[in-house]
Amino acid sequence: MRRGRVDRTLVVAGLATIALGALLLLDRLGSIDLRFDYLAPAILAAIGIVLISAGLS
Amino acid sequence: MDTDAPARKLTRSTTDKHVWGVAGGLGRYFGVDAMLFRVAFGVSVVFGGIGIVAYLALAAFLASDNGKQAWIEDKPRAASAAVIIGLAVAGIAALSPPGFILGPGVFAIAVFTLLGVAAYRAISQEVRQDPARLVAKVTLMLIALAAAMAAAVAVGFAVALGGGVAVAIVAMVAGLGLITAGLLGGPRWLILPVLVLVVPLAVVSAADLDLEGGVGEERYAPQTVDQIRPEYRVGVGEMVVDLRDLELPAGRTQVNVRVGIGEARVLVPDDVCTSIDGDIGVGAADIPNREDEGPDIAIREQPRQLVINAHLGIGHLQVDRNRAACA
């Protein structure tokens, strides 16, 4: 695989999706109780990280 | 030039810097010790983090004192717009205004911002070309947007009807797919279908929305404790639980009310001391001496003779009780 073809934005978006998915899975399983107070900043942070990686690439 | 005099142009400092030289530049511009700004930025973390947002904005938009242009200047317009909008949303969130914006409103802003940036990037390449192609592309994008919204609603219903675990696992697998696509140089629009999965899952999870229980209007009026159901539940609709004719025994009695989307109204005997233990994902609570609205409403009261245990995903809870009965 050629290194130049790697899209960092997609990779970061994938990592953010997995992190959010893990949080939401724990919530659905009842291990944690997510509320808007916690989830809204988490979603914003994920979007911000993806945007920053898009701006840097 | 006197190096002690304040510089006339605000720039990032390349000589007095710990991160990106913003505090050093501010100190030189205002003629004060840069440490004051560093302390201010640090302290702002405790007060919502608005200083961090301001620091990032200054770092992005200020040129360096060595003549190097600002970070934002050589970026594409779409990326610049995304950064500006992102900073604005982060700034608003950091200021913690009251109301809806910190709940689903933030999700809506974030999603529509991303959709807007994606649409802008897609259309701007077509503007210089054939207008017919542009119209066709806009039409296709609107159809895709409508399909995405319909899919998001469907995902939301699937989660609210008990499929949340499966959707969360699918979202994580989709994340792995994004990573794979990124390593192979795949298209970035793949992020949008993943958003269609994750955003409704997040909203339904945060609101703790549960639509099991059917659709419609229900009215219950138990006369005795034996007639009280273990749980009064409506998925989507309106429910009235009339307890005014209920003969309560000594001790504590609990009534459980659960509504996914809609309204729950509980009517309580005037001579019974009643407490509420309730959660509302998004909506409003209307009980004597207390009115709440917005996301994440939690009502916790000292248990009394009659305890109303209410759980609403999205909706309105009204409890008609006589507070004087507890005197």
Side-chain angles (χ1 to χ4, degrees):
Chain A
M1 185 183 310
R2 285 189 304 141
R3 194 178 168 189
R5 294 188 64 192
V6 173
D7 187 337
R8 266 187 305 189
T9 303
L10 274 177
V11 174
V12 170
L15 291 172
T17 302
I18 291 172
L20 285 175
L23 270 179
L24 294 166
L25 179 62
L26 289 174
D27 175 77
R28 293 284 95 186
L29 290 172
S31 301
I32 58 174
D33 184 19
L34 287 177
R35 295 277 171 177
F36 283 110
D37 282 352
Y38 306 107
L39 205 49
I43 296 268
L44 276 177
I47 292 172
I49 290 168
V50 173
L51 286 178
I52 287 171
S53 72
L56 292 175
S57 61
Chain B
M1 179 181 173
D2 183 357
T3 54
D4 292 334
R8 295 185 65 185
K9 185 180 178 185
L10 180 58
T11 56
R12 286 186 289 122
S13 173
T14 53
T15 54
D16 183 10
K17 62 181 285 189
H18 288 278
V19 185
W20 287 313
V22 171
L26 286 169
R28 183 177 52 198
Y29 183 79
F30 290 105
V32 299
D33 192 334
M35 187 56 68
L36 291 174
F37 288 100
R38 293 193 180 105
V39 170
F41 284 130
V43 169
S44 77
V45 175
V46 184
F47 297 98
I50 185 65
I52 302 300
V53 178
Y55 188 96
L56 291 173
L58 289 169
F61 288 94
L62 288 183
S64 293
D65 56 7
N66 61 1
K68 187 179 176 183
Q69 64 182 4
W71 176 82
I72 199 81
E73 283 189 22
D74 59 350
K75 297 293 177 290
R77 285 167 60 189
S80 303
V83 169
I84 292 167
I85 293 169
L87 285 168
V89 172
I92 292 169
L95 288 171
S96 301
F100 202 60
I101 191 156
L102 289 179
V106 172
F107 292 115
I109 290 171
V111 170
F112 281 105
T113 298
L114 284 177
L115 289 175
V117 170
Y120 174 82
R121 292 189 67 165
I123 289 175
S124 63
Q125 296 167 0
E126 298 289 322
V127 167
R128 302 188 191 95
Q129 300 175 14
D130 187 358
R133 284 187 63 194
L134 176 64
V135 171
K137 188 141 191 169
V138 169
T139 304
L140 281 175
M141 286 173 63
L142 288 175
I143 292 171
L145 182 62
M149 292 183 73
V153 170
V155 170
F157 271 99
V159 174
L161 288 171
V165 171
V167 175
I169 292 171
V170 170
M172 293 172 71
V173 172
L176 283 173
L178 281 183
I179 293 175
T180 307
L183 294 174
L184 297 174
R188 286 188 180 174
W189 58 259
L190 287 172
I191 293 174
L192 292 179
V194 174
L195 279 177
V196 170
L197 267 179
V198 172
V199 171
L201 173 62
V203 171
V204 172
S205 295
D208 212 4
L209 193 57
D210 183 352
L211 295 185
E212 291 181 34
V215 178
E217 294 183 14
E218 301 287 350
R219 184 180 182 90
Y220 305 95
Q223 308 285 312
T224 64
V225 173
D226 292 339
Q227 293 179 2
I228 295 177
R229 295 186 180 186
E231 185 174 74
Y232 293 98
R233 176 186 279 249
V234 167
V236 180
E238 182 180 345
M239 176 164 57
V240 176
V241 181
D242 188 348
L243 305 174
R244 288 176 296 182
D245 296 328
L246 179 64
E247 295 177 11
L248 285 169
R252 190 169 295 153
T253 302
Q254 180 167 314
V255 175
N256 300 312
V257 175
R258 195 173 183 97
V259 173
I261 301 175
E263 180 170 4
R265 186 177 181 195
V266 183
L267 306 173
V268 175
D270 281 342
D271 58 344
V272 172
C273 183
T274 307
S275 64
I276 302 170
D277 183 63
D279 291 288
I280 304 173
V282 183
D286 182 7
I287 55 182
N289 301 328
R290 177 171 177 170
E291 284 189 17
D292 279 319
E293 62 179 22
D296 295 340
I297 298 173
I299 306 166
R300 302 282 179 264
E301 295 178 349
Q302 184 78 22
R304 303 289 187 172
Q305 182 184 6
L306 178 63
V307 178
I308 307 298
N309 185 281
H311 191 109
L312 281 75
I314 299 173
H316 176 243
L317 170 67
Q318 181 173 339
V319 179
D320 296 339
R321 64 179 175 181
N322 179 15
R323 291 297 294 262
C326 297

